[in-house]
Structures are given as structure tokens and as C-alpha cells.
Amino acid sequence: MTTMRTEKEAPPVKPCECCDDGEGYCVFPYYGVAPHTHAVSDPGNPLGWIGSTRLLPKEQWPENFREDPDCPGLGVYLRCPECGAGEAPAEEHR
């Protein structure tokens, strides 16, 4: 996913290898499916079919995920779990 940016706009935090979009910007925050796992047809076969998606219990969701109140099971991943780049934590918004 490529985001339109102006020439003068600089990334606030240098993203790490985990969250760099390929152009030096962080991919966070982004909207997606809540933390989940997939059932696979044959766990021993890396080319097996990916089956159903199963959301993890909310108690296992990381602090960097905020669920969409209008669409349960979806939400925003706020920051990179590796380097913290992305949206500032709530206490920094004050």
C-alpha cells in the first residue's frame, strides 16, 4: 500500500525493517482484522490451504490494537510492535 505524501513531509520516526513501506515511511497506523490465527489444511505443509480465520480472545490482543466500535473484529493497529513508530500513545496526545 502506498500513501500519498508531499515532498516536504518527513517521517516523524524512522521506521524499522518490520514497518518500513519501502519508501522510508511507517505503514502504521493501518486498519485491518483484529489479531487472529488461521486454520490450515496440513500444519506440516507450508503450501497447504489456509482455512478459517479465528480471532484471538480480546485478552490476548496487543496494546497497539484498537477495535472499531462500529465493526467488531476489525480495527486499527496503531504502532509498530518492534520500534513503536506510528501513532503516538494516547498519553502523548494530551
Side-chain angles (χ1 to χ4, degrees), residues 2-91:
T2 303
T3 305
M4 297 294 291
R5 304 197 192 277
T6 64
E7 290 293 323
K8 295 179 182 178
E9 185 180 358
V13 176
K14 182 168 174 45
C16 69
E17 188 174 296
C18 175
C19 67
D20 190 314
D21 70 354
E23 296 180 4
Y25 293 92
C26 179
V27 298
F28 292 92
Y30 73 86
Y31 193 86
V33 178
H36 60 280
T37 61
H38 295 278
V40 292
S41 61
D42 179 5
N45 178 1
L47 301 177
W49 289 98
I50 294 176
S52 63
T53 299
R54 297 184 179 129
L55 297 180
L56 294 177
K58 288 185 179 184
E59 303 81 48
Q60 294 180 18
W61 291 0
E63 60 86 25
N64 74 326
F65 179 77
R66 184 182 310 140
E67 186 173 34
D68 183 340
D70 296 325
C71 198
L74 298 173
V76 178
Y77 289 86
L78 303 169
R79 293 172 295 285
C80 175
E82 299 295 321
C83 71
E87 183 178 308
E91 59 271 6

